[in-house]
Amino acid sequence: MISDEVRAIWCRELKRDGISVDDDFFALGGQSVIMVRIQGAFLEELGVEVPMDQMFLNPTVASISAYIESQRAVTS
């Protein structure tokens, strides 16, 4: 499930365990440098490019996972 993969990336990059799908990236201490690393991981590990504006518009695992799934549907 994509949300599990996204959550694993967030946990690794934010250096936190137990992130839920509804936790807000910024409330977890996320900032631009971490966001760029997560963007790179999305591209490398999930094969999808996520623009920076979408990272800001979708600050939870659930919302960014839905965005990624919609992009995969478009490119498939």
Side-chain angles (χ1 to χ4, degrees):
M1 187 168 207
I2 191 72
S3 61
D4 292 336
E5 295 173 83
V6 169
R7 194 176 76 70
I9 291 169
W10 279 33
C11 286
R12 182 183 70 227
E13 297 301 334
L14 288 162
K15 297 178 179 22
R16 297 179 140 236
D17 292 325
I19 294 174
S20 83
V21 295
D22 296 317
D23 285 338
D24 184 277
F25 174 79
F26 301 103
L28 294 168
Q31 39 90 354
S32 60
V33 173
I34 296 170
M35 189 178 283
V36 169
R37 289 199 316 254
I38 288 173
Q39 267 187 307
F42 287 164
L43 185 57
E44 185 176 315
E45 297 172 38
L46 305 179
V48 68
E49 189 171 346
V50 179
M52 189 65 70
D53 65 327
Q54 290 301 318
M55 299 283 288
F56 281 99
L57 292 170
N58 298 289
T60 66
V61 169
S63 63
I64 202 66
S65 295
Y67 172 79
I68 290 169
E69 287 176 349
S70 74
Q71 293 305 295
R72 283 184 167 176
V74 168
T75 59
S76 295

